[in-house]
Amino acid sequence: MRQLAISGKGGVRIAYLADEQLIEWRTQETGEHVSAGDVYYGRIADVKQGIQSAFVDIGCGQNAYLYVDDTLPGPAMGKGKPSISERVQAGQYVICQVIKEGSERKAPKISLKISLQGRYLVYLPLEEGWSLSRKISASEERQRLEQIISPLLGSGEGVIVRTEAAGVERERLTSELAYLRARWEGVCQQAHAQKTPGRIGGDLDVVEAALRDALAEGLDEVVVEDATTYRQVQAVLDVFASDAQRLLRKHTGKQPLFDELGVEAKLEQALRREVPLGNGGYLVMDRTEAMTVIDVNTGSFTGGGGQQREQAVTATNLEAAKEIARQLRLRDIGGIVIIDFIDMKEPTNKERVLATLKKELARDVAPSTVHGMTALGLVEMTRKRVRASLAERLTEPCAACQGRGRVLRAEESIRRLHTELAGLARSQQAEAAVVELSARLFPLVDDEEAAAEQSWPLRIYKREEPRLAPDSYRITYVGQAAEAERLSESNRKRT
């Protein structure tokens, strides 16, 4: 059972689950956060000839990085690799697209080669020509798609035909191309009206992108929690997948959608260092500045020696290979990954583990490459980094331990408090709550009448508790407003 669960309450959040396991987590970021696929109107702030790069002000507080290979070709200026100074100049305004999100230490990476993705096509408004997915192998189908797409393209624009286009009728392909072309025209109009650097559009927003990717992988159900997002999903499916409207369902349960599916608990597990395996083994995942290191351990394994041990170890490694692929995708881990599987003696077993790892990684939207096993028995691989990791999105360095640890972001802690109070308000028909907050969270929550301005589900009486961890809170009472006020007043007198 593959589900896409979508909630628009407190910001769009999307969970992709397969057989009740959380596979992927996406959010619609707000404010100055730069997301992959976003389109910006930027100004070239500086050109660095020595590294063949430019830094671009896109209005987000941090200049983005542009490499020469990601610029648009200009008039022929001699042989050899072009120079960045031939492509862009300081002070020039450009339309650019984020191809890799920034991290806590790195700037976002951008490209001047814009691409707008649909379910069947990728529209390239500034690059002429077209190409077909290599996975479409039948010559008759390739010829059919060429006859459909080629006459539709104008001068200076291009298209990549995705694997999902195989067998799709002409009308649907034509309609999607017209939709993507209209999106680009809208971006250009925004850029023309824009006076300063800033976001002017994006790839299909998070809802559309999640639907597109999930439908390509296989989907049995789309569950949406709130009415506004439900209508948005309906509109998206009308354009990209009208046949998938039958998969759409409105969540009507008393519990919040993600509570019912256990998503919050699964996210907590995804932030932990240790990951349990079904047979008693476990993974240890450590992130460093240069790479991510994963150690596979037998855990409670107590098998005997010889062939019995080899079989048990291989079984643990095979299970670990599947879980590692899931964890890399769920945690959005990119870059170099080193895996220390449990030692195996037989070469055939090593090949089985590598083959399983490659097969599971192939399900991932982000491309990855397994480079094989070293003489020390370590597996080297890379996974393309597109988005910030789950840990970077949900947590931040802890000020109390000088960045050696991490705590939930303040806005994430407040969102979780809001969600928990909303569930209690519905289930208990409560009027008010008494909440203890860490010193870090205390000033971010308005109490009593002011709480209504923050759209809290009930009246809040708050108290600062210095002994709580920086990202923690504690709900000490939920119920009648008069009793909450009495308890709050009693707390004030004691302090």
Side-chain angles (χ1 to χ4, degrees), residues 300-403:
S300 58
F301 167 71
T302 57
Q307 190 62 29
Q308 180 184 356
R309 180 192 181 281
E310 178 76 6
Q311 291 174 355
V313 163
T314 302
T316 299
N317 283 338
L318 289 170
E319 184 176 355
K322 297 176 182 178
E323 185 61 25
I324 286 169
R326 185 177 77 90
Q327 290 292 329
L328 292 177
R329 180 175 180 181
L330 172 58
R331 299 179 186 223
D332 264 317
I333 292 174
I336 300 171
V337 180
I338 303 294
I339 308 169
D340 185 9
F341 284 106
I342 307 169
D343 289 340
M344 296 169 288
K345 303 297 183 184
E346 299 180 10
T348 54
N349 289 334
K350 295 179 182 180
E351 289 300 322
R352 285 176 62 199
V353 171
L354 285 175
T356 300
L357 179 62
K358 292 176 182 178
K359 178 183 176 182
E360 296 299 320
L361 289 170
R363 304 175 190 270
D364 194 349
V365 177
S368 57
T369 303
V370 178
H371 296 279
M373 190 173 290
T374 70
L376 295 175
L378 303 175
V379 173
E380 298 178 339
M381 64 162 289
T382 57
R383 182 178 183 270
K384 185 177 180 181
R385 186 186 186 281
V386 178
R387 291 189 294 268
S389 70
L390 186 69
E392 288 173 322
R393 283 184 278 148
L394 295 183
T395 69
E396 60 190 7
C398 175
C401 59
Q402 299 178 339

Side-chain angles (χ1 to χ4, degrees), residues 49 52 68 74-84 86-87:
Q49 184 70 27
Q52 289 292 291
V68 63
M77 302 183 70
K79 297 181 179 180
K81 186 165 182 160
S83 167
I84 186 68
E86 296 172 357
R87 295 288 180 88

Side-chain angles (χ1 to χ4, degrees), residues 64-321:
Y65 173 77
L66 173 67
Y67 186 57
V68 63
D69 287 351
D70 296 313
T71 59
L72 293 169
M77 302 183 70
K79 297 181 179 180
K81 186 165 182 160
S83 167
I84 186 68
S85 59
E86 296 172 357
R87 295 288 180 88
V88 295
Q89 291 79 41
Q92 177 184 350
Y93 282 87
V94 294
I95 298 177
C96 54
Q97 185 172 37
V98 179
I99 56 176
K100 183 185 291 187
E101 294 182 12
S103 64
E104 291 165 355
R105 294 180 181 269
K106 295 182 180 179
K109 187 177 181 182
I110 60 172
S111 174
L112 304 188
K113 300 174 181 179
I114 309 297
S115 64
L116 302 180
Q117 293 197 43
R119 185 181 180 189
Y120 307 113
L121 307 172
V122 179
Y123 180 55
L124 310 174
L126 303 175
E127 298 177 77
E128 190 165 359
W130 66 279
S131 62
L132 272 74
S133 166
R134 294 179 181 177
K135 294 182 180 180
I136 304 176
S137 56
S139 58
E140 298 84 359
E141 181 61 16
R142 295 180 69 87
Q143 185 177 2
R144 184 186 76 90
L145 290 170
E146 178 182 359
Q147 292 173 349
I148 293 173
I149 298 298
S150 185
L152 300 177
L153 297 178
S155 176
E157 64 177 356
V159 156
I160 299 172
V161 182
R162 305 183 70 193
T163 307
E164 290 77 12
V168 175
E169 61 271 20
R170 177 190 299 268
E171 291 73 16
R172 184 168 293 184
L173 296 174
T174 303
S175 174
E176 182 168 295
L177 178 58
Y179 173 79
L180 295 174
R181 190 179 278 139
R183 286 182 68 94
W184 172 243
E185 291 172 358
V187 167
C188 292
Q189 290 172 5
Q190 284 183 274
H192 182 73
Q194 191 90 0
K195 302 299 182 184
T196 57
R199 186 180 187 273
I200 55 174
D203 185 15
L204 307 180
D205 71 17
V206 67
V207 173
E208 296 177 357
L211 282 166
R212 178 192 68 213
D213 294 340
L215 286 167
E217 191 169 344
L219 196 57
D220 299 305
E221 186 178 55
V222 182
V223 191
V224 185
E225 187 165 33
D226 59 294
T228 301
T229 310
Y230 184 85
R231 289 192 293 272
Q232 182 184 6
V233 172
Q234 279 185 315
V236 171
L237 291 178
D238 279 341
V239 174
F240 291 112
S242 57
D243 55 324
Q245 289 282 5
R246 57 185 176 78
L247 306 178
L248 185 59
R249 176 171 69 84
K250 177 85 163 54
H251 175 67
T252 56
K254 292 184 178 180
Q255 278 188 302
L257 175 59
F258 290 152
D259 285 354
E260 185 176 293
L261 297 175
V263 171
E264 299 288 0
K266 292 177 172 65
L267 281 175
E268 287 287 349
Q269 293 173 356
L271 295 175
R272 294 174 186 167
R273 181 171 177 252
E274 290 192 6
V275 180
L277 299 174
N279 66 351
Y282 62 94
L283 310 176
V284 178
M285 305 184 69
D286 286 314
R287 172 194 175 203
T288 71
E289 190 66 27
M291 66 186 72
T292 298
V293 181
I294 304 174
D295 186 35
V296 182
N297 293 279
T298 55
S300 58
F301 167 71
T302 57
Q307 190 62 29
Q308 180 184 356
R309 180 192 181 281
E310 178 76 6
Q311 291 174 355
V313 163
T314 302
T316 299
N317 283 338
L318 289 170
E319 184 176 355

